[in-house]
Amino acid sequence: MAEDLFEEDRERSVAERLAAEALIVDVDGFEGPLDLLLTLSRTQKVDLRKISILQLARQYLEFVERAKTLRIELAADYLVMAAWLAFLKSRLLLPPDPSEEGPSGEELAAHLAFQLERLQAMRDAAAKLMAQDRLGRNFFARGIPESVERVRRVTFTATLLDLMQGYARLRTRDEFRPFVMDRESVFTMEEALARLRGLIGFSGTWTDIMSYLPTGWEEDPVKRRSATAATFAASLELAKEGKVEIRQSETFAPIQLRRKDEGHV
Amino acid sequence: MKAMSEEIEQKEESLFEAPPIAEQERMCEAILFASAEPVTIKELNARMPHGCDAAEALVHLRKRYEGRGVHVVKVGDAWAMRTAADLSFLMQKETVETRKLSRAAIETLAIIAYHQPVTRAEIEEIRGVSVSRGTVDQLLEMEWIRFGRRKMTPGRPVTFVVTSEFLDHFGLTSARDLPGLKELRAAGLLENRPPPGVMALGSSEDEEDESLEGQSELFED
Amino acid sequence: MKAMSEEIEQKEESLFEAPPIAEQERMCEAILFASAEPVTIKELNARMPHGCDAAEALVHLRKRYEGRGVHVVKVGDAWAMRTAADLSFLMQKETVETRKLSRAAIETLAIIAYHQPVTRAEIEEIRGVSVSRGTVDQLLEMEWIRFGRRKMTPGRPVTFVVTSEFLDHFGLTSARDLPGLKELRAAGLLENRPPPGVMALGSSEDEEDESLEGQSELFED
């Protein structure tokens, strides 16, 4: 390969050099280094299978050099390709070193040639594809398609397990209840408050708050406790609002309350 | 592309000589097929090479489609192709969708299966809610339940029983094959009850929100 | 309406006896004729009365339309009626302006069609440049390509394949009918030859994803 190097050089006409130069200006028009290589390869005017990769590498490196002198920024992948081609070039020019690992220069060159040929083949195929008779251009579909009415039929299904679970759910519903607090013996503060508000107007004198417990809540200790607590809390609330006064003579003595009149201080 | 330019040449030639009638028929066929609207004879003639006689071509085309799945029909003063009226039933696509029965339907069905013959009032008593007409209708329509004998009680209410289609669907020989509560429990179908006594005090404010539905959801999975 | 209910009756009867083949041919004709999109044999059979054999009816129908202005064509596993390509000169009125594809999109489309199923890395390896998102998006949006199976290689990359819409648009029965496919394969240009050694070219960093198998799967069956 090294021998025909100079011959190739001589063969390059001025016109081709000019063409290569023109490419520099148009670097944006290339779709990557492989596209550029393919374009450069056309100057060789040979079948891609017989292309001289060495010559192509030189053309490419020249291109990159020119771009540099013209201060054209080249994308990184163009530079990576340049480095790789420089490496390839040295491999192709130097006699093979038997101690060296890895593929030979010829193998690398053959692969690059294959890539170029494959890219070219895909471009040709793309052109052929686009030249096919095409729907809406060369042949046509029905112009008035008749709409297909969709009739949707729904069928319902259930499994035996669904059925049994459904029944089990029903039959065991009464056996237990979800988290509901038993409120039968609870007299809430809201209830006590409502009750006190209604009664307080008549309480001009000190009265034991126990006398305000609702009827029916005095006997059962559970109910009594709840009602007492609620009534006491309610009376505190009313005192806070300035509606009543509360007093207790000593610890555990009865708690008394009376209406707070405007006149009282 | 080549075909197209040949055709253009032919078009120019045809200023002097019209294509054979069979070819004209083909042209009418293609135009009527592809056109989004019915096409008048005038328009056909305008689109076909000079010297063509669309009216004559249509006579042939019409005859060719006689008795076929597609007809050449006149729409106003224009022509179109339409599928044959007797094949209109083909212009619908049936899609079958399978859905799970609603819970109300399953529960109603279960009660009928376990308690048959059973009246609507009895179903309602067991479910604790009224049974909607739609639910019963759906089960009747599916032919999984049918009316049984009237009950010899005041008002002689109708009863419901399950059908042999029901037994077929669920792979049962008779409704007596349905597992009982004990077996359901043994099979682990009733195990998901909440442990008793774990009442959360603070969370009980919204108890009135809880309906029967909400409650039994707890046991579902 | 009367005709339709008769037809439904006929449909039910035909559980036991299919209509004569000439009638089935008419039915296929009507269905294909009415549809702008290709219709699969499966759908044809689903829409025709029980017991019909759409595949057989289509053989007859196809023959009947040979040389006509409208053809019966196969698109993937579906069938459609299309006007004869040689009459395209009559159809200027119907021509739809298709969106112009970029060179990158056309090349990418061709690579997918000829190499399918193919990964993005493989496309990039062939083009020597990274594939922009927009290009793939555009082709996906046009429904000319779709995602294929993942490749059973490290990283399990997704693959792209062409769709039946692609075949329909380019008048191809299957991807095997792509122009020049045989020659390309014979020349070894559809092989995914890994580069010798470890030197990677251009953007093919992730070439270890690429395996030899799978490339020609589509064309094998």
Side-chain angles (χ1 to χ4, degrees):
Chain A
M1 251 191 163
E3 302 87 81
D4 42 49
L5 208 150
F6 302 101
E7 201 183 335
E8 281 168 5
D9 234 4
R10 255 182 283 126
E11 271 171 19
R12 290 187 62 194
S13 70
V14 180
E16 280 162 357
R17 279 169 195 277
L18 283 174
E21 201 166 88
L23 294 173
I24 297 170
V25 189
D26 197 23
V27 67
D28 282 343
F30 291 106
E31 300 226 11
L34 215 52
D35 184 29
L36 173 56
L37 278 170
L38 198 56
T39 309
L40 290 172
S41 73
R42 280 191 204 116
T43 61
Q44 292 191 22
K45 286 185 180 157
V46 288
D47 190 317
L48 271 175
R49 264 163 288 185
K50 293 174 193 149
I51 200 164
S52 161
I53 291 295
L54 188 58
Q55 188 187 332
L56 193 59
R58 242 189 287 111
Q59 281 174 287
Y60 187 95
L61 293 171
E62 222 166 84
F63 169 89
V64 172
E65 277 308 308
R66 294 222 172 206
K68 232 182 256 173
T69 56
L70 291 171
R71 297 171 181 241
I72 294 171
E73 291 275 336
L74 285 179
D77 50 347
Y78 287 87
L79 301 176
V80 170
M81 176 63 90
W84 187 80
L85 285 172
F87 164 81
L88 177 61
K89 197 174 124 191
S90 68
R91 277 250 162 150
L92 290 172
L93 289 172
L94 295 170
D97 178 355
S99 69
E100 195 140 14
E101 295 278 311
S104 70
E106 273 73 22
E107 280 171 327
L108 294 172
H111 185 70
L112 180 58
F114 166 73
Q115 283 183 297
L116 290 174
E117 197 191 343
R118 184 173 58 178
L119 180 58
Q120 187 56 56
M122 276 303 112
R123 294 210 167 144
D124 296 343
K128 268 188 220 154
L129 183 65
M130 298 317 273
Q132 285 273 112
D133 283 337
R134 286 161 66 179
L135 180 65
R137 200 183 71 181
N138 308 94
F139 58 92
F140 296 83
R142 178 73 172 129
I144 321 173
E146 281 170 55
S147 57
V148 177
E149 188 192 339
R150 273 174 207 275
V151 184
R152 208 173 58 169
R153 211 184 57 192
V154 180
T155 62
F156 287 92
T157 184
T159 65
L160 189 56
L161 192 67
D162 294 329
L163 194 69
M164 293 188 307
Q165 278 172 336
Y167 188 65
R169 195 160 57 215
L170 287 169
R171 298 311 287 176
T172 56
R173 188 181 283 158
D174 297 334
E175 285 186 23
F176 49 89
R177 297 189 307 161
F179 314 104
V180 178
M181 198 172 107
D182 203 330
R183 287 195 147 189
E184 256 172 48
S185 340
V186 175
F187 193 62
T188 66
M189 187 184 126
E190 286 72 27
E191 286 170 302
L193 203 54
R195 185 175 162 77
L196 274 186
R197 280 191 206 282
L199 294 173
I200 197 71
F202 309 102
S203 168
T205 56
W206 293 105
T207 321
D208 190 334
I209 61 163
M210 295 307 281
S211 62
Y212 288 100
L213 294 195
T215 39
W217 289 74
E218 302 96 332
E219 301 307 320
D220 177 33
V222 176
K223 288 177 127 186
R224 184 185 164 89
R225 200 181 308 143
S226 172
T228 307
T231 305
F232 176 62
S235 63
L236 290 179
E237 183 63 30
L238 287 173
K240 204 174 96 187
E241 289 174 15
K243 302 257 172 60
V244 300
E245 292 172 298
I246 302 176
R247 74 175 186 191
Q248 188 180 29
S249 51
E250 57 176 322
T251 315
F252 299 120
I255 299 165
Q256 298 178 306
L257 89 171
R258 71 169 180 193
R259 182 183 72 220
K260 186 177 178 180
D261 289 325
E262 268 71 65
H264 289 289
V265 177
Chain B
M1 278 317 248
K2 206 185 283 173
M4 205 194 263
S5 62
E6 271 169 22
E7 289 301 340
I8 288 162
E9 267 166 50
Q10 188 189 331
K11 204 170 169 180
E12 264 149 31
E13 272 170 32
S14 65
L15 271 166
F16 311 104
E17 199 183 334
I21 192 70
E23 189 60 18
Q24 294 186 34
E25 194 194 317
R26 276 185 85 223
M27 292 175 181
C28 281
E29 187 178 32
I31 293 172
L32 291 188
F33 174 86
S35 174
E37 273 158 32
V39 190
T40 61
I41 301 253
K42 200 176 153 202
E43 202 186 326
L44 279 171
N45 276 327
R47 284 171 69 175
M48 283 157 65
H50 285 280
C52 283
D53 182 352
E56 200 200 332
L58 272 173
V59 173
H60 291 267
L61 189 66
R62 216 175 169 189
K63 199 167 272 167
R64 185 181 291 273
Y65 276 97
E66 253 167 36
R68 306 288 321 140
V70 173
H71 294 157
V72 179
V73 294
K74 198 166 181 211
V75 184
D77 59 350
W79 292 84
M81 286 179 127
R82 293 274 188 266
T83 52
D86 68 311
L87 297 179
S88 64
F89 72 98
L90 293 171
M91 296 304 136
Q92 48 179 249
K93 208 191 280 183
E94 193 175 73
T95 51
V96 179
E97 202 179 297
T98 308
R99 275 193 229 157
K100 258 216 180 307
L101 265 187
S102 70
R103 200 162 90 187
I106 285 178
E107 286 182 6
T108 305
L109 182 64
I111 293 167
I112 297 170
Y114 277 91
H115 293 263
Q116 64 173 351
V118 62
T119 67
R120 180 189 286 260
E122 286 163 345
I123 297 169
E124 292 182 344
E125 197 189 321
I126 296 169
R127 283 198 69 215
V129 289
S130 67
V131 175
S132 82
R133 198 184 175 75
T135 304
V136 174
D137 283 355
Q138 186 185 15
L139 294 172
L140 284 168
E141 205 177 285
M142 291 174 80
E143 300 189 317
W144 280 359
I145 63 167
R146 61 174 176 81
F147 292 108
R149 274 187 310 227
R150 283 182 183 275
K151 212 152 212 180
M152 301 306 261
T153 51
R156 306 207 55 199
V158 293
T159 61
F160 297 102
V161 294
V162 291
T163 62
S164 55
E165 283 82 1
F166 166 87
L167 296 175
D168 274 355
H169 180 90
F170 291 98
L172 300 165
T173 315
S174 88
R176 265 162 301 185
D177 290 351
L178 284 167
L181 278 189
K182 249 188 220 159
E183 288 139 304
L184 292 179
R185 190 166 285 142
L189 291 169
L190 300 183
E191 262 174 3
N192 298 312
R193 48 161 80 192
V198 278
M199 290 190 174
L201 271 174
S203 65
S204 58
E205 261 94 62
D206 43 5
E207 62 189 332
E208 49 276 272
D209 286 349
E210 287 166 33
S211 63
L212 285 170
E213 268 164 44
Q215 286 181 18
S216 36
E217 255 161 22
L218 286 166
F219 315 125
E220 285 233 296
D221 46 8
Chain C
M1 275 324 245
K2 206 184 284 175
M4 203 193 263
S5 62
E6 270 169 30
E7 287 303 338
I8 287 161
E9 268 168 48
Q10 186 189 331
K11 209 167 165 182
E12 262 150 34
E13 272 169 34
S14 64
L15 271 167
F16 312 105
E17 200 181 337
I21 192 71
E23 190 59 19
Q24 294 186 33
E25 193 195 315
R26 278 185 83 223
M27 291 176 180
C28 280
E29 185 179 29
I31 295 172
L32 291 189
F33 204 94
S35 172
E37 308 291 324
V39 186
T40 62
I41 300 249
K42 199 174 153 207
E43 199 190 325
L44 280 170
N45 277 328
R47 281 167 66 181
M48 284 157 63
H50 286 279
C52 283
D53 182 352
E56 201 200 329
L58 276 169
V59 173
H60 295 268
L61 188 67
R62 203 177 190 186
K63 203 166 271 166
R64 185 180 294 271
Y65 276 91
E66 257 168 33
R68 310 279 326 135
V70 173
H71 293 160
V72 178
V73 297
K74 189 169 187 237
V75 181
D77 57 355
W79 293 80
M81 281 196 162
R82 298 287 179 251
T83 62
D86 70 302
L87 297 177
S88 66
F89 71 98
L90 291 170
M91 302 292 173
Q92 277 116 348
K93 218 187 143 204
E94 263 69 49
T95 309
V96 273
E97 215 25 76
T98 37
R99 236 192 315 175
K100 206 145 170 72
L101 282 177
S102 68
R103 189 174 128 193
I106 291 171
E107 269 180 40
T108 303
L109 178 65
I111 291 168
I112 293 170
Y114 283 83
H115 288 258
Q116 64 174 348
V118 62
T119 66
R120 180 186 283 259
E122 286 163 348
I123 298 169
E124 294 183 342
E125 155 87 10
I126 293 169
R127 295 196 63 227
V129 72
S130 64
V131 175
S132 83
R133 204 180 177 75
T135 304
V136 173
D137 282 0
Q138 190 186 12
L139 295 173
L140 283 168
E141 208 177 281
M142 294 174 82
E143 298 189 316
W144 281 359
I145 64 167
R146 62 174 175 82
F147 290 106
R149 273 188 308 221
R150 284 181 182 278
K151 212 146 218 189
M152 299 307 261
T153 51
R156 307 207 59 205
V158 294
T159 61
F160 297 102
V161 296
V162 289
T163 61
S164 59
E165 283 82 0
F166 166 88
L167 298 177
D168 192 17
H169 183 89
F170 290 98
L172 301 166
T173 295
S174 88
R176 265 164 291 195
D177 298 339
L178 284 164
L181 183 75
K182 261 186 210 149
E183 295 79 354
L184 287 171
R185 204 186 308 156
L189 291 168
L190 299 183
E191 282 166 27
N192 186 19
R193 229 178 264 175
V198 286
M199 285 305 293
L201 243 178
S203 61
S204 54
E205 267 101 63
D206 37 7
E207 69 200 326
E208 55 271 57
D209 284 353
E210 290 156 31
S211 71
L212 283 168
E213 75 244 17
Q215 274 305 334
S216 44
E217 270 171 287
L218 184 116
F219 308 122
E220 264 158 22
D221 53 9

